[in-house]
Amino acid sequence: MKIFYASFLLILVVSLNSASAQEVDSIPIDTKGLDIKLKRSPLPSRTGNLNFKPVQFTPVVVGAKVNYWKTRTAVGINFNQAVFSNNWTGGGVNSIGIMGTINYKAEYSKENYSYVSELILEYGKVKNKGQLEKKTRDRIFWDNKAAIQLSKNWYFFGSLTFESQFDRGFKYATNSAGKEEETLISRFMAPGTLTESMGFEYKPNKYFSTRIGTGTARQTFVLDTNIYKNNNSNYGVERGKTFKNDLAFQVVSNFEKEVFTNFFVKSRYSMFIPYDKSLKYIDHRLDLELRSKLNRLMEVKVTCVGLYDRDNDKHIQASQILGLGVMFVFPR
Protein backbone atom coordinates (compact mmCIF):
# COMPACT_ATOMS: atom_id res chain seq x y z
CA MET A 1 0.00 0.00 0.00
CA LYS A 2 2.84 2.45 0.86
CA ILE A 3 4.45 1.66 -2.44
CA PHE A 4 1.17 2.46 -4.19
CA TYR A 5 0.81 5.87 -2.50
CA ALA A 6 4.43 6.73 -3.23
CA SER A 7 3.97 5.89 -6.93
CA PHE A 8 0.79 7.94 -7.06
CA LEU A 9 2.45 10.98 -5.54
CA LEU A 10 5.41 10.70 -7.96
CA ILE A 11 3.08 10.55 -10.96
CA LEU A 12 1.14 13.57 -9.65
CA VAL A 13 4.34 15.67 -9.21
CA VAL A 14 5.57 14.78 -12.69
CA SER A 15 2.19 15.74 -14.19
CA LEU A 16 2.17 19.09 -12.42
CA ASN A 17 5.74 19.84 -13.53
CA SER A 18 4.83 18.97 -17.16
CA ALA A 19 1.81 21.28 -17.04
CA SER A 20 3.92 24.13 -15.61
CA ALA A 21 6.58 23.57 -18.27
CA GLN A 22 3.92 23.96 -21.00
CA GLU A 23 2.60 27.22 -19.52
CA VAL A 24 6.05 28.80 -18.71
CA ASP A 25 8.83 29.13 -21.31
CA SER A 26 11.68 29.21 -18.74
CA ILE A 27 12.15 28.88 -15.02
CA PRO A 28 14.67 31.25 -13.35
CA ILE A 29 17.28 29.54 -11.23
CA ASP A 30 19.11 31.33 -8.44
CA THR A 31 22.79 30.48 -8.88
CA LYS A 32 24.00 32.70 -6.09
CA GLY A 33 26.38 30.82 -3.87
CA LEU A 34 26.77 27.98 -6.34
CA ASP A 35 30.32 27.04 -7.20
CA ILE A 36 29.96 26.45 -10.96
CA LYS A 37 33.13 25.75 -12.88
CA LEU A 38 33.17 25.76 -16.67
CA LYS A 39 35.35 23.42 -18.58
CA ARG A 40 38.37 24.89 -20.37
CA SER A 41 38.00 25.34 -24.12
CA PRO A 42 39.93 22.72 -26.05
CA LEU A 43 40.98 25.40 -28.63
CA PRO A 44 44.44 26.89 -28.03
CA SER A 45 44.61 30.60 -27.29
CA ARG A 46 47.50 33.00 -26.95
CA THR A 47 47.74 36.43 -25.50
CA GLY A 48 50.46 39.00 -25.94
CA ASN A 49 51.38 42.47 -27.24
CA LEU A 50 51.14 43.45 -30.89
CA ASN A 51 54.25 45.21 -32.14
CA PHE A 52 53.82 47.82 -34.94
CA LYS A 53 56.81 49.01 -36.94
CA PRO A 54 56.36 52.39 -38.69
CA VAL A 55 56.98 52.38 -42.44
CA GLN A 56 58.64 55.41 -44.01
CA PHE A 57 57.17 56.60 -47.31
CA THR A 58 59.14 58.87 -49.62
CA PRO A 59 56.86 61.65 -50.87
CA VAL A 60 56.39 61.68 -54.65
CA VAL A 61 56.32 65.13 -56.25
CA VAL A 62 54.42 65.19 -59.55
CA GLY A 63 55.95 67.67 -61.95
CA ALA A 64 52.80 68.04 -64.06
CA LYS A 65 51.55 71.54 -64.81
CA VAL A 66 48.21 72.70 -66.13
CA ASN A 67 48.58 73.72 -69.77
CA TYR A 68 46.12 76.46 -70.66
CA TRP A 69 47.30 76.54 -74.28
CA LYS A 70 45.93 74.48 -77.14
CA THR A 71 47.69 74.66 -80.52
CA ARG A 72 47.11 73.15 -83.95
CA THR A 73 49.24 73.38 -87.10
CA ALA A 74 48.09 72.14 -90.51
CA VAL A 75 50.41 72.05 -93.53
CA GLY A 76 48.90 71.16 -96.90
CA ILE A 77 50.29 70.70 -100.40
CA ASN A 78 48.17 70.38 -103.55
CA PHE A 79 49.72 69.39 -106.87
CA ASN A 80 48.26 68.94 -110.34
CA GLN A 81 49.69 68.28 -113.78
CA ALA A 82 48.36 67.76 -117.29
CA VAL A 83 50.39 66.49 -120.26
CA PHE A 84 49.14 65.98 -123.86
CA SER A 85 50.89 64.57 -126.91
CA ASN A 86 51.29 66.78 -130.00
CA ASN A 87 48.68 64.77 -131.91
CA TRP A 88 46.05 64.84 -129.15
CA THR A 89 42.89 65.55 -131.14
CA GLY A 90 40.75 66.40 -128.11
CA GLY A 91 42.65 69.61 -127.54
CA GLY A 92 44.43 70.67 -124.39
CA VAL A 93 47.50 72.38 -123.05
CA ASN A 94 50.29 71.06 -120.87
CA SER A 95 50.17 72.55 -117.40
CA ILE A 96 51.59 72.16 -113.96
CA GLY A 97 50.34 73.69 -110.74
CA ILE A 98 51.14 73.61 -107.06
CA MET A 99 49.69 75.27 -103.97
CA GLY A 100 50.77 75.24 -100.35
CA THR A 101 48.90 76.25 -97.22
CA ILE A 102 49.86 76.70 -93.58
CA ASN A 103 47.21 77.17 -90.91
CA TYR A 104 48.39 77.74 -87.35
CA LYS A 105 45.95 78.31 -84.48
CA ALA A 106 46.74 78.86 -80.81
CA GLU A 107 44.11 79.17 -78.07
CA TYR A 108 44.60 80.17 -74.44
CA SER A 109 41.80 79.82 -71.89
CA LYS A 110 41.99 80.33 -68.13
CA GLU A 111 39.00 81.14 -65.95
CA ASN A 112 37.21 84.07 -67.63
CA TYR A 113 40.09 85.08 -69.90
CA SER A 114 40.81 83.80 -73.41
CA TYR A 115 43.12 84.55 -76.32
CA VAL A 116 43.03 83.20 -79.87
CA SER A 117 45.62 83.70 -82.58
CA GLU A 118 45.21 82.30 -86.09
CA LEU A 119 47.71 82.55 -88.94
CA ILE A 120 46.82 81.53 -92.51
CA LEU A 121 49.46 81.49 -95.25
CA GLU A 122 48.47 80.43 -98.78
CA TYR A 123 50.36 80.55 -102.05
CA GLY A 124 49.84 78.77 -105.35
CA LYS A 125 50.87 79.03 -108.99
CA VAL A 126 50.01 77.44 -112.31
CA LYS A 127 52.05 77.33 -115.52
CA ASN A 128 50.39 76.54 -118.83
CA LYS A 129 52.47 75.82 -121.91
CA GLY A 130 52.96 78.94 -124.00
CA GLN A 131 51.63 81.24 -121.27
CA LEU A 132 53.02 83.23 -118.40
CA GLU A 133 52.96 81.91 -114.85
CA LYS A 134 49.85 82.92 -112.91
CA LYS A 135 48.97 82.95 -109.25
CA THR A 136 46.10 80.78 -108.10
CA ARG A 137 46.26 81.79 -104.43
CA ASP A 138 48.20 84.42 -102.47
CA ARG A 139 47.20 85.42 -98.97
CA ILE A 140 48.67 86.43 -95.60
CA PHE A 141 46.08 86.56 -92.81
CA TRP A 142 46.83 86.95 -89.11
CA ASP A 143 44.02 87.44 -86.59
CA ASN A 144 44.46 87.98 -82.84
CA LYS A 145 41.66 88.30 -80.28
CA ALA A 146 41.65 88.65 -76.48
CA ALA A 147 38.39 88.40 -74.55
CA ILE A 148 36.93 88.58 -71.02
CA GLN A 149 33.78 86.61 -70.28
CA LEU A 150 30.87 88.72 -69.05
CA SER A 151 28.14 86.07 -68.91
CA LYS A 152 27.46 82.58 -70.18
CA ASN A 153 27.53 83.52 -73.88
CA TRP A 154 28.81 87.11 -73.98
CA TYR A 155 32.37 88.42 -73.96
CA PHE A 156 34.11 91.77 -74.18
CA PHE A 157 36.89 91.52 -76.78
CA GLY A 158 39.70 93.40 -78.43
CA SER A 159 41.22 92.22 -81.73
CA LEU A 160 44.03 93.01 -84.13
CA THR A 161 43.99 91.68 -87.72
CA PHE A 162 46.61 91.96 -90.48
CA GLU A 163 46.12 90.98 -94.10
CA SER A 164 48.22 91.24 -97.27
CA GLN A 165 49.89 89.05 -99.94
CA PHE A 166 53.33 87.56 -100.68
CA ASP A 167 53.94 88.14 -104.36
CA ARG A 168 53.24 90.57 -107.14
CA GLY A 169 49.85 90.40 -108.83
CA PHE A 170 49.20 91.05 -112.50
CA LYS A 171 46.37 91.42 -114.95
CA TYR A 172 46.90 89.74 -118.30
CA ALA A 173 46.13 90.70 -121.87
CA THR A 174 47.11 89.51 -125.35
CA ASN A 175 48.78 91.99 -127.67
CA SER A 176 48.33 92.30 -131.41
CA ALA A 177 51.05 89.74 -132.00
CA GLY A 178 49.16 87.18 -129.96
CA LYS A 179 51.66 87.27 -127.13
CA GLU A 180 50.52 87.43 -123.53
CA GLU A 181 51.51 90.49 -121.53
CA GLU A 182 51.25 91.27 -117.81
CA THR A 183 50.60 94.52 -115.97
CA LEU A 184 51.46 94.97 -112.29
CA ILE A 185 48.43 95.81 -110.12
CA SER A 186 49.39 94.63 -106.61
CA ARG A 187 52.25 93.41 -104.44
CA PHE A 188 53.18 92.91 -100.77
CA MET A 189 51.68 95.76 -98.69
CA ALA A 190 50.09 97.20 -101.80
CA PRO A 191 47.51 96.76 -100.53
CA GLY A 192 47.86 95.72 -96.90
CA THR A 193 45.38 96.27 -94.09
CA LEU A 194 45.62 96.47 -90.31
CA THR A 195 42.34 96.40 -88.39
CA GLU A 196 41.85 97.13 -84.68
CA SER A 197 38.47 96.41 -83.15
CA MET A 198 36.80 96.27 -79.75
CA GLY A 199 33.28 95.45 -78.68
CA PHE A 200 31.19 92.47 -77.68
CA GLU A 201 31.27 88.87 -78.83
CA TYR A 202 28.42 86.36 -78.78
CA LYS A 203 29.66 82.76 -78.49
CA PRO A 204 26.92 80.22 -77.66
CA ASN A 205 29.10 77.17 -78.43
CA LYS A 206 32.60 76.15 -79.49
CA TYR A 207 32.04 76.23 -83.25
CA PHE A 208 30.21 79.54 -83.79
CA SER A 209 30.88 83.12 -82.72
CA THR A 210 29.95 86.65 -83.78
CA ARG A 211 31.96 89.78 -82.99
CA ILE A 212 30.21 93.14 -82.84
CA GLY A 213 32.96 95.74 -83.10
CA THR A 214 31.38 99.04 -82.14
CA GLY A 215 34.78 100.73 -82.15
CA THR A 216 36.80 99.67 -85.20
CA ALA A 217 39.66 101.31 -87.10
CA ARG A 218 41.25 100.05 -90.30
CA GLN A 219 44.43 101.30 -91.90
CA THR A 220 44.95 100.58 -95.60
CA PHE A 221 48.53 100.67 -96.89
CA VAL A 222 49.71 101.05 -100.49
CA LEU A 223 53.47 101.34 -100.13
CA ASP A 224 54.13 101.23 -103.87
CA THR A 225 53.18 104.73 -105.03
CA ASN A 226 53.24 103.65 -108.70
CA ILE A 227 50.44 101.11 -108.38
CA TYR A 228 47.80 103.73 -109.17
CA LYS A 229 49.13 103.96 -112.75
CA ASN A 230 47.75 100.50 -113.45
CA ASN A 231 44.99 100.48 -110.82
CA ASN A 232 42.88 103.62 -110.89
CA SER A 233 41.15 102.92 -107.57
CA ASN A 234 44.52 102.63 -105.78
CA TYR A 235 42.61 100.56 -103.17
CA GLY A 236 40.93 103.67 -101.77
CA VAL A 237 44.19 105.45 -100.90
CA GLU A 238 44.73 108.93 -102.27
CA ARG A 239 47.26 108.99 -105.08
CA GLY A 240 50.75 109.87 -103.94
CA LYS A 241 50.00 108.75 -100.38
CA THR A 242 50.69 105.38 -98.77
CA PHE A 243 48.15 105.31 -95.95
CA LYS A 244 44.43 105.71 -95.27
CA ASN A 245 42.50 105.34 -92.01
CA ASP A 246 38.81 104.43 -91.64
CA LEU A 247 36.62 104.36 -88.53
CA ALA A 248 33.75 101.90 -88.77
CA PHE A 249 31.29 99.48 -87.25
CA GLN A 250 32.32 95.86 -87.90
CA VAL A 251 30.66 92.46 -87.66
CA VAL A 252 32.69 89.25 -87.93
CA SER A 253 31.11 85.77 -87.77
CA ASN A 254 33.08 82.51 -87.61
CA PHE A 255 31.85 78.94 -88.05
CA GLU A 256 34.04 75.84 -87.90
CA LYS A 257 32.68 72.35 -87.35
CA GLU A 258 32.88 68.72 -88.45
CA VAL A 259 29.30 68.46 -89.74
CA PHE A 260 29.67 64.86 -90.90
CA THR A 261 32.28 62.19 -90.27
CA ASN A 262 35.54 63.48 -91.82
CA PHE A 263 33.71 66.40 -93.49
CA PHE A 264 34.56 69.88 -92.19
CA VAL A 265 33.04 73.28 -92.88
CA LYS A 266 34.88 76.49 -92.06
CA SER A 267 33.57 79.95 -92.87
CA ARG A 268 34.27 83.56 -91.95
CA TYR A 269 32.05 86.50 -92.86
CA SER A 270 33.05 90.09 -92.19
CA MET A 271 31.11 93.30 -92.72
CA PHE A 272 32.82 96.70 -92.47
CA ILE A 273 30.58 99.79 -92.27
CA PRO A 274 32.53 103.10 -92.41
CA TYR A 275 31.02 105.85 -90.24
CA ASP A 276 31.85 108.64 -92.71
CA LYS A 277 30.53 107.05 -95.93
CA SER A 278 27.16 106.09 -97.38
CA LEU A 279 25.81 102.53 -97.06
CA LYS A 280 26.92 101.62 -100.59
CA TYR A 281 30.49 101.63 -99.29
CA ILE A 282 29.86 98.76 -96.87
CA ASP A 283 32.52 96.07 -97.39
CA HIS A 284 31.55 92.39 -97.37
CA ARG A 285 33.82 89.36 -97.47
CA LEU A 286 32.90 85.68 -97.20
CA ASP A 287 35.52 82.91 -96.97
CA LEU A 288 34.16 79.37 -97.22
CA GLU A 289 36.15 76.14 -96.99
CA LEU A 290 34.72 72.64 -97.47
CA ARG A 291 37.19 69.90 -96.61
CA SER A 292 36.84 66.12 -96.63
CA LYS A 293 39.46 63.67 -95.36
CA LEU A 294 39.96 60.64 -97.57
CA ASN A 295 42.44 58.96 -95.23
CA ARG A 296 45.02 59.94 -92.66
CA LEU A 297 46.93 62.21 -95.09
CA MET A 298 44.88 62.69 -98.26
CA GLU A 299 42.06 65.22 -98.44
CA VAL A 300 39.97 67.09 -101.00
CA LYS A 301 39.21 70.76 -100.40
CA VAL A 302 37.04 73.42 -102.00
CA THR A 303 37.82 77.05 -101.18
CA CYS A 304 35.50 79.91 -102.17
CA VAL A 305 35.86 83.65 -101.63
CA GLY A 306 33.27 86.35 -102.26
CA LEU A 307 34.29 90.01 -101.91
CA TYR A 308 32.53 93.33 -102.37
CA ASP A 309 34.67 96.42 -101.81
CA ARG A 310 34.01 99.57 -103.83
CA ASP A 311 37.55 100.76 -103.10
CA ASN A 312 38.74 97.86 -105.27
CA ASP A 313 35.91 97.33 -107.76
CA LYS A 314 32.27 98.29 -108.15
CA HIS A 315 31.24 94.68 -108.75
CA ILE A 316 31.38 91.52 -106.63
CA GLN A 317 34.67 89.64 -106.88
CA ALA A 318 34.74 85.85 -106.55
CA SER A 319 37.24 82.99 -106.63
CA GLN A 320 36.98 79.22 -106.28
CA ILE A 321 39.65 76.53 -105.96
CA LEU A 322 39.26 72.75 -105.95
CA GLY A 323 42.30 70.83 -104.78
CA LEU A 324 43.37 67.29 -103.93
CA GLY A 325 46.49 66.84 -101.88
CA VAL A 326 48.09 65.87 -98.60
CA MET A 327 47.58 67.49 -95.22
CA PHE A 328 49.87 67.12 -92.20
CA VAL A 329 48.33 68.10 -88.86
CA PHE A 330 50.32 68.62 -85.65
CA PRO A 331 49.66 67.48 -83.02
CA ARG A 332 47.50 64.55 -84.08
Side-chain angles (χ1 to χ4, degrees), residues 21-133:
Q22 292 177 358
E23 295 176 0
V24 183
D25 294 334
S26 62
I27 300 175
I29 301 175
D30 186 9
T31 59
K32 186 177 181 181
L34 298 178
D35 187 12
I36 300 175
K37 294 183 180 181
L38 299 177
K39 293 184 177 181
R40 184 178 180 183
S41 173
L43 299 177
S45 61
R46 295 181 180 178
T47 59
N49 297 326
L50 296 177
N51 297 323
F52 295 94
K53 183 179 180 181
V55 178
Q56 298 295 333
F57 288 97
T58 303
V60 178
V61 179
V62 179
K65 295 182 179 180
V66 178
N67 187 5
Y68 298 101
W69 286 93
K70 183 172 66 175
T71 60
R72 179 182 180 273
T73 304
V75 180
I77 300 175
N78 296 333
F79 178 82
N80 60 76
Q81 181 188 28
V83 178
F84 302 89
S85 62
N86 294 331
N87 60 343
W88 184 259
T89 57
V93 60
N94 296 348
S95 67
I96 183 171
I98 188 170
M99 185 177 74
T101 63
I102 298 176
N103 189 340
Y104 173 78
K105 190 173 185 180
E107 298 180 72
Y108 174 87
S109 180
K110 182 180 180 181
E111 297 177 352
N112 295 331
Y113 304 95
S114 64
Y115 170 75
V116 179
S117 178
E118 183 174 17
L119 175 66
I120 300 176
L121 306 176
E122 298 176 321
Y123 187 77
K125 268 195 169 184
V126 63
K127 178 67 172 69
N128 296 326
K129 184 178 180 181
Q131 300 179 6
L132 298 173
E133 292 183 357

Side-chain angles (χ1 to χ4, degrees), residues 123 125 133-140 163-172 182-193 220-236 285 307 311-312 317:
Y123 187 77
K125 268 195 169 184
E133 292 183 357
K134 298 180 176 66
K135 292 193 300 184
T136 58
R137 192 70 167 167
D138 188 5
R139 189 187 188 199
I140 303 173
E163 189 164 6
S164 187
Q165 61 190 49
F166 288 101
D167 201 1
R168 297 178 298 170
F170 301 91
K171 62 180 179 180
Y172 301 89
E182 59 185 15
T183 303
L184 179 68
I185 58 173
S186 65
R187 65 193 322 161
F188 176 72
M189 292 302 291
T193 60
T220 302
F221 302 90
V222 180
L223 301 185
D224 188 341
T225 56
N226 294 317
I227 288 291
Y228 78 91
K229 297 178 181 179
N230 302 325
N231 189 332
N232 293 328
S233 68
N234 202 41
Y235 302 103
R285 179 177 176 125
L307 174 64
D311 290 334
N312 295 338
Q317 305 173 61

Side-chain angles (χ1 to χ4, degrees), residues 255-313:
F255 179 89
E256 185 175 2
K257 186 181 181 182
E258 183 180 8
V259 294
F260 305 110
T261 302
N262 293 330
F263 184 81
F264 301 84
V265 176
K266 180 180 180 180
S267 66
R268 175 187 170 92
Y269 168 74
S270 62
M271 179 173 64
F272 189 85
I273 308 174
Y275 287 132
D276 60 342
K277 296 182 180 179
S278 61
L279 295 180
K280 67 179 182 180
Y281 284 93
I282 297 177
D283 297 342
H284 303 268
R285 179 177 176 125
L286 175 63
D287 293 85
L288 177 63
E289 179 183 293
L290 307 176
R291 179 166 52 91
S292 179
K293 295 180 63 176
L294 304 179
N295 52 43
R296 185 176 179 182
L297 294 179
M298 300 292 295
E299 70 170 20
V300 59
K301 182 170 67 174
V302 179
T303 304
C304 306
V305 178
L307 174 64
Y308 178 75
D309 186 350
R310 289 183 66 90
D311 290 334
N312 295 338
D313 197 280

